[in-house]
Every structure is written in structure tokens, then in C-alpha cells.
Amino acid sequence: MPKLSDIEGVTLAERFELAACLQCGRCTGGCPMSIRSPLNSRKFLYESLIREDGEALLEREEVWDCTSCRTCSSRCPRELDPAMVMRAVRTVKIEGGRIPKTLMDAMESSLKHGNPWGRSRMKRTAWAEGITVNSIEEDAESERLWFVGCTPAYDPRAMGMAKALARIFEVAGVDYTTLGSEEVCCGSEMLRAGEEGLFEELSEVNKENFAELEFAEVVATSPHCMNTFIADYGLDIPVTHYTQLLAALAAEGKLPFGGESEEVKVAFHDPCYLGKQNSIYDAPRNVLKAVPGVELVEFARSRERSLCCEGGGGRMWIEGMGEGERNAQIRVRDAIEMGVDVIATACPFCLLTLEDAVKTTGSEGKIRIFDIAEIVVNSIDGSERSE
Amino acid sequence: MKIAVFVKHVPDVAEADLEVAADGRTLKGAGLPFEMNEWDRFALEEAVLIKDEVGGDLTAFLIGDEAAEESLRRCLAVGADRAVRLWDEALSGANPFEIAAAMRGAVGDDNYDLILCGAQSSDYGYGMGGPLLAEALGINSVALVNKMKVEGSKVLVTRELEGGWGEEVEVNLPAVISIQTGINEPRYVSILGIKKARKKPIDVLDGAGVDLSSEGGKLVVESLQAPPLGEGAEFLEGSPEEVAERCLALLKEAGGVL
């Protein structure tokens, strides 16, 4: 097993300047996992700094519980980065090869198939069959790349996001193209799970694609893809989330919403990678407010304080040690108590964890989960049908 | 202890739309992703665990072209001391007897105490490599092993039989043991690990020296066909709920299940 101090030849304490840690506990206090897992970022920092045998951290399996939502890092008064300490510990565990099997499969699939879901590259565009989707494979050129993402391309439920966006772009006359089956996983989750080498491999392919096709702008379906393009790729072109594009279209009156519709009470669940990590709070809300019939309400924990759904940091492929109610289940129960009809979100991982939570809490029929793009399309195509 | 492990680089055919090639006897392989044969991953892990426990050195062998070296690099990344690849174009599309002759040729005069390989490969699935190699070397062979322990000059193994039965066998070394999946938990091999292993040398042996003349006729593939389309299949369409309801109704209709 490699050692923690093997990374760049320095200890974790040196690498992350942990001598500055006050042990104030703000990191742990805000951690959405600490309520249900032994994960304790403050302890990780303390042990990295104080214990002579800092290597004992490698025995802590709860490091896999971190969702890399970065609440801890955003709350640290000394501007330290506990989330990066977690990632560094994961990286060493990965080099030692002893990692959860489900994560191993996702990583190997990302390398082999270019997606973490174990699906063939050839099936990446299966979601687009029978609908209008611009693609470089059909010679659709554009300066704007829509990066569909693996989960919206392959997961049967999350496909709703991709299909809805394609439909919106079509009716709003948005100029865009996609990479079709040339698209490769962005690597965000692999990097956050600690597999730095795999991230490099994947990001190189994407960077080459972006440069070769001379895109001037990237719009991502998933906040996770968007975030890694911004935070880790070092691209010199603007990268945005689709909710920002839809908000702009709505403001310009380019979304042909249906006129009359039933009143629906909607609560927006802020994805961590959209909100906490990129401060995009208003764009998704502005889209929802523009949809006729939508009454937007707020969770008690929203915006900067939003409760992480547990889908990030590779957690889509890691069961974790957490016990008791999952955060997504708490979210669904809270929404039902608020008398909400729909929880809207804008991230494929949030969509899936919340959908799961509706089932595991036995709440089918009481509440529904939609992506914002799906809500927009429901309004648009509902109007077409009534004409 | 001198340990050897044989690994094979195979296509991943999950979700692939396979087509029989023009010769009517092989499959079109173009565009398929390749990886280490699943059974061999367990054999490799077992070899590394044994090396860690009893000491010695581990040599990884592969019969394949240069593209297949990726699987050898995985071996080097997890602890193989040496990697050997043997190839000759004559081995392209070779039958299991020819492959075993090549395996025998690759081992040469090195006397290994223990040779491990996967019980079968996921592409053709003959399951003959291990036993035929043992035969060619004139040493013991045990197949479908799902538990093993080296004790001095012996190995205690459990073979997987049908119906959940196991057969315990004590075998004297040297021996070839072919490994069943599930014997251990193969570790993850990181990209960094594979990259580091690229710096380690791979010995390449010319397979032209292997005499295949007496092996070719032992097994000849005459033709290859996709399974014929059956009758009576019904595709259920609709939402998951509708499909589930229809499924339930059909099972009730058919009787005997519910």
C-alpha cells in the first residue's frame, strides 16, 4: 500500500497547510454527511497534523462517504480545503487498489467505454433516436457545444433531461451542436473519487475535441461536467449551465410556454455543484418563475445552505457507510410536509437520488421529481397539444 | 517460489452488435474495446497474493500482439517482476491446442513451481489453456479452482463442482492451476500505476519458433452463426408500471410460477 506522504513527497499537513487549522469545527458542523456517517473532516485534519502515524487515515473507510459538496471548504475561516484532504486520502487508497468494487467498475468503464455506467460507446446517442438533435456526426456545425453528459445520455430516467433540452433548443431555435458518440466522460466524478490519472486521460480527450472543433462556448446539462470544465480543465472559453441559457431565453421571451396551466407548487433543490460551488442560484429559479402556473417555494435549507443529495464525489457508485435516512429522503419528506407538488432540480445525480428517495420513502403519488428542462418542455408541448 | 501467470487480452462484447466475418468462421472484431480476460484478473490477483505470502518472483505471460501488452502492463503494475509476450501472425485465430503449444513455448526451459491461469476466456470459452499447458509440460493440473493455499511443496485447492459442491484436492508442485472467478477480490489498477509500468520492459518472444504443425488439425472451426431467432417472443412496451403489470398477467396466465 502506498503512503500518504508519498504524494509529492510531502505530508498532507504540509501540502494543505493544516498547521493553520483552528479545529473550530465549522467544516464538520456544515457537513451534510456528518449527520449519518462517521465521516468527520475535522478529525481528518487533526490526525493529518498531530498523529505521528498519519497513515492511519488510510484505514478510515468513511473517506468514501464524502460527496465532495465542498461545504466544509466553503465554511473554513482559515480558507483551508478539507475536501481536498479527503480527495488526497482517496487517491492514495486508489493507488493501493483496495476500493469499493462498484467504484472500480465505474472507473474501468470510464476508461474502456468513456462513460462510468458500463455502457457501450456505440449506445451513447441511443437517447436521441427519433428526435431532433444536432451532432457533429451529422455535420451540424456550431460554435456552441452542448455537452450532454454520460448520465443524461445513458440513464433511462435522466435521459428525460437530454430529450427535454433537445426539444427546447429546437423550438427556441438555439444554435448548438453535440459531439454525438464522440463525447467522452468529463472525468469530474473520477477526479473527486481520487483517480487523478484517469481524470487526466479523459480530460485530454475532451480538451482535444473542444480545441479541434474550435468551440467558442460550452453548455453542460450536468453541473458536475460544467464545474470540472471550469475548475479543473483550464479552458479559455466560457462554460455555462443549461439553466443559464434557459433563463436568458426566457428573459428574451424565446420560450413558447403554454398559456393556461394548472397551478403547481414547486420547490427547487439546489445542486451543490451548481449552487455552492459555482454560485448559480438565480438562473434556475428565474426559469421556474417564467413557467406559467409554477408557484416557486423555498426549502428551509436552500441556496448556500442546500442539503446535498449525496450524489457527488463518486457517490453514485459508492454505497457508503452512512446509516439511517438518506439526505434525499429527508428532502422528499420535507417537501411533502411543505405541501409541495414537485421538487425541481437541475442535475442528473440530484434527479436520480431524489427519484430513488420518492420510492424508498413510499411517496409515489404524493410528490413528483422533475428536472427544470422537463418542466419547461411540459409547459411548451402542453400548449402545442391544446392548440 | 517461481510463479507464473498467463493472461489474455479479450474483446468486451457486452452491448456489441457482433457480426460474423466474411470467412464465416470468425467474428468482426473492429471497434470493440479490449481488456484483460475476467478469469485472468482473478488468477493474477491470486498469483500476487501468493507471492506476497510465500515470497519468490512472478512472471506474467501473454500470447498476443503488441496491442495486447496493455494487459501485461496491468500485471507489472500490481507486482509481476517480469512480463513476457509471445506472438506470431500464425497464431492469429489459432485453436486452443496451438495456443497451448505457444504457451509451452513461452515458458521454455524455466521451471516454474506454480503456473496460474484463468479457468477460461470470455471470448471463446474453451477452458483448455491450463490443462493443455500442464500436459505439454508433463506436470500436474487442477482446473476450476476457487480456493487455494500453498503449503511447502504442495497446494491445497478446492475445485468448484456443479450444484454448489466443492472438491478438495492436494496437489504436488509443480502444477498448473486454473482459477475460477470469485476466488479473491482483484484490486483496482490505477492509471498512474499502469503509466509507471510502461517504463518496465516487456520481453517479446518470436512465436515463429513454436512448432504448430501437429496442433492445427486437432480442432477446426467449420462455421460460426448467430443463434437462430426463436418464435413466440413478445416485446412488452409501455411505462415500467405497464410492463410490470403485463408481465405479471402473463406469468399468471402461463401458470406454474405464481
Side-chain angles (χ1 to χ4, degrees):
Chain A
M1 172 71 89
K3 291 188 163 188
L4 278 169
S5 54
D6 288 345
I7 316 172
E8 295 172 15
V10 296
T11 65
L12 283 184
E14 289 163 341
R15 187 175 167 201
F16 296 107
E17 301 178 338
L18 300 183
C21 175
L22 297 168
Q23 285 291 305
C24 68
R26 275 182 63 89
C27 54
T28 314
C31 174
M33 288 312 298
S34 62
I35 49 175
R36 54 181 301 264
S37 152
L39 182 69
N40 185 317
S41 52
R42 182 175 163 184
K43 195 180 272 177
F44 269 76
L45 266 56
Y46 183 76
E47 291 191 359
S48 306
L49 187 62
I50 301 295
R51 292 208 16 186
E52 279 183 22
D53 181 17
E55 304 296 328
L57 282 177
L58 291 174
E59 303 297 318
R60 294 194 174 276
E61 286 301 310
E62 66 263 30
V63 73
W64 297 114
D65 281 5
C66 173
T67 68
S68 69
C69 71
R70 299 189 63 80
T71 305
C72 51
S73 301
S74 70
R75 285 168 60 94
C76 178
R78 304 303 299 266
E79 296 181 354
L80 299 181
D81 205 343
M84 285 300 287
V85 176
M86 302 292 165
R87 192 196 294 182
V89 173
R90 287 175 165 191
T91 296
V92 180
K93 286 176 85 75
I94 281 170
E95 294 312 321
R98 298 300 176 197
I99 63 172
K101 174 77 169 71
T102 42
L103 180 63
M104 202 187 292
D105 291 343
M107 287 175 168
E108 290 181 354
S109 170
S110 299
L111 181 68
K112 195 167 59 176
H113 301 299
N115 73 81
W117 295 109
R119 302 288 310 282
S120 162
R121 278 178 207 269
M122 297 295 130
K123 307 284 180 192
R124 184 174 271 273
T125 53
W127 68 272
E129 275 169 28
I131 60 174
T132 306
V133 181
N134 300 346
S135 162
I136 57 159
E137 292 179 313
E138 277 144 34
D139 297 323
E141 287 180 19
S142 172
E143 291 196 333
R144 180 191 280 138
L145 169 68
W146 169 28
F147 194 88
V148 179
C150 301
T151 308
Y154 287 107
D155 182 87
R157 175 63 190 91
M159 254 180 219
M161 297 176 77
K163 287 181 178 174
L165 276 177
R167 177 75 184 135
I168 295 166
F169 293 168
E170 186 189 359
V171 298
V174 171
D175 176 38
Y176 76 94
T177 193
T178 63
L179 294 169
S181 57
E182 300 286 309
E183 190 180 280
V184 163
C185 175
C186 68
S188 161
E189 301 311 283
M190 303 303 130
L191 178 62
R192 279 155 187 81
E195 221 315 8
E196 294 175 358
L198 179 55
F199 171 77
E200 262 179 47
E201 294 274 320
L202 297 169
S203 61
E204 284 307 316
V205 177
N206 279 314
K207 278 190 231 175
E208 275 172 30
N209 277 341
F210 295 177
E212 199 173 297
L213 295 159
E214 298 179 341
F215 292 119
E217 181 190 349
V218 181
V219 181
T221 318
S222 169
H224 293 253
C225 307
M226 177 200 75
N227 178 68
T228 199
F229 292 152
I230 295 171
D232 310 311
Y233 272 51
L235 300 175
D236 53 8
I237 51 172
V239 179
T240 54
H241 187 246
Y242 83 84
T243 52
Q244 294 171 292
L245 178 60
L246 295 197
L249 291 170
E252 292 165 23
K254 288 184 179 167
L255 296 179
F257 292 118
E260 291 171 31
S261 35
E262 284 175 39
E263 290 293 309
V264 185
K265 201 168 167 183
V266 178
F268 178 63
H269 164 81
D270 288 276
C272 298
Y273 283 67
L274 194 63
K276 283 175 203 155
Q277 300 197 29
N278 288 284
S279 303
I280 301 170
Y281 297 110
D282 295 329
R285 288 176 169 79
N286 290 343
V287 179
L288 286 170
K289 282 181 200 161
V291 179
V294 166
E295 184 202 343
L296 181 65
V297 295
E298 292 289 341
F299 280 109
R301 289 190 68 167
S302 76
R303 300 176 75 98
E304 292 85 349
R305 295 181 59 251
S306 177
L307 184 66
C308 171
C309 80
E310 298 186 48
R315 283 290 309 280
M316 291 304 286
W317 304 278
I318 306 168
E319 187 57 32
M321 298 172 74
E323 287 177 4
E325 199 168 46
R326 288 174 185 267
N327 288 356
Q329 293 175 315
I330 295 173
R331 216 53 169 162
V332 166
R333 286 193 205 279
D334 284 354
I336 291 171
E337 269 178 35
M338 287 158 65
V340 161
D341 303 304
V342 167
I343 301 177
T345 190
C347 167
F349 296 158
C350 297
L351 184 69
L352 295 179
T353 52
L354 290 166
E355 280 282 13
D356 268 357
V358 168
K359 295 189 179 82
T360 52
T361 56
S363 306
E364 287 142 310
K366 292 183 201 158
I367 193 160
R368 289 195 295 170
I369 313 296
F370 284 118
D371 187 83
I372 286 181
E374 295 174 320
I375 292 172
V376 170
V377 155
N378 286 348
S379 172
I380 291 174
D381 283 344
S383 73
E384 277 195 353
R385 275 198 296 275
S386 64
E387 274 168 12
Chain B
M1 174 170 284
K2 277 185 77 170
I3 310 165
V5 62
F6 273 87
V7 298
K8 186 175 181 183
H9 206 55
V10 297
D12 179 343
V13 295
E15 279 199 287
D17 299 318
L18 292 177
E19 279 181 64
V20 177
D23 67 4
R25 289 179 305 197
T26 52
L27 287 170
K28 288 182 186 171
L32 294 174
F34 277 68
E35 61 184 348
M36 186 188 289
N37 174 40
E38 190 186 356
W39 281 263
D40 301 347
R41 293 166 59 127
F42 290 87
L44 171 65
E45 180 69 33
E46 197 64 20
V48 173
L49 293 174
I50 292 169
K51 181 192 147 181
D52 288 349
E53 194 192 330
V54 304
D57 67 273
L58 172 62
T59 305
F61 288 96
L62 177 141
I63 309 298
D65 60 14
E66 197 175 344
E69 282 187 1
E70 197 64 23
S71 281
L72 275 182
R73 283 192 204 98
R74 289 180 76 96
C75 299
L76 290 167
V78 300
D81 301 286
R82 200 164 76 92
V84 181
R85 176 172 73 81
L86 181 142
W87 186 241
D88 182 69
E89 276 308 314
L91 288 163
S92 186
N95 74 32
F97 294 94
E98 294 168 305
I99 294 295
M103 291 165 79
R104 170 69 188 88
V107 170
D109 298 328
D110 286 342
N111 295 314
Y112 288 94
D113 301 301
L114 180 64
I115 301 178
L116 301 183
C117 60
Q120 61 177 314
S121 60
S122 62
D123 51 0
Y124 288 105
Y126 284 113
M128 291 163 73
L132 286 176
L133 174 64
E135 183 70 20
L137 289 167
I139 61 176
N140 295 327
S141 165
V142 192
L144 279 172
V145 168
N146 61 6
K147 196 175 166 188
M148 70 181 283
K149 178 149 184 67
V150 175
E151 285 191 354
S153 61
K154 287 180 184 155
V155 194
L156 304 177
V157 306
T158 305
R159 299 181 61 229
E160 186 182 274
L161 302 182
E162 289 181 5
W165 285 72
E167 182 185 49
E168 289 182 3
V169 179
E170 188 182 288
V171 58
N172 288 324
L173 296 175
V176 178
I177 311 281
S178 48
I179 301 291
Q180 174 66 311
T181 54
I183 189 172
N184 52 43
E185 290 178 18
R187 68 196 71 187
Y188 178 70
V189 187
S190 74
I191 303 298
L192 190 65
I194 293 174
K195 277 187 176 166
K196 281 183 187 163
R198 283 194 186 133
K199 291 173 191 150
K200 296 182 186 173
I202 291 175
D203 298 341
V204 180
L205 304 181
D206 184 1
V210 178
D211 180 14
L212 302 176
S213 57
S214 61
E215 311 297 336
K218 288 183 180 169
L219 195 155
V220 177
V221 176
E222 291 291 345
S223 73
L224 197 62
Q225 294 124 24
L229 286 178
E231 286 176 11
E234 181 188 346
F235 285 92
L236 304 181
E237 286 177 3
S239 69
E241 288 81 4
E242 290 162 356
V243 170
E245 268 182 33
R246 178 84 187 114
C247 206
L248 184 65
L250 284 171
L251 287 171
K252 278 184 178 165
E253 257 175 58
V257 183
L258 296 168

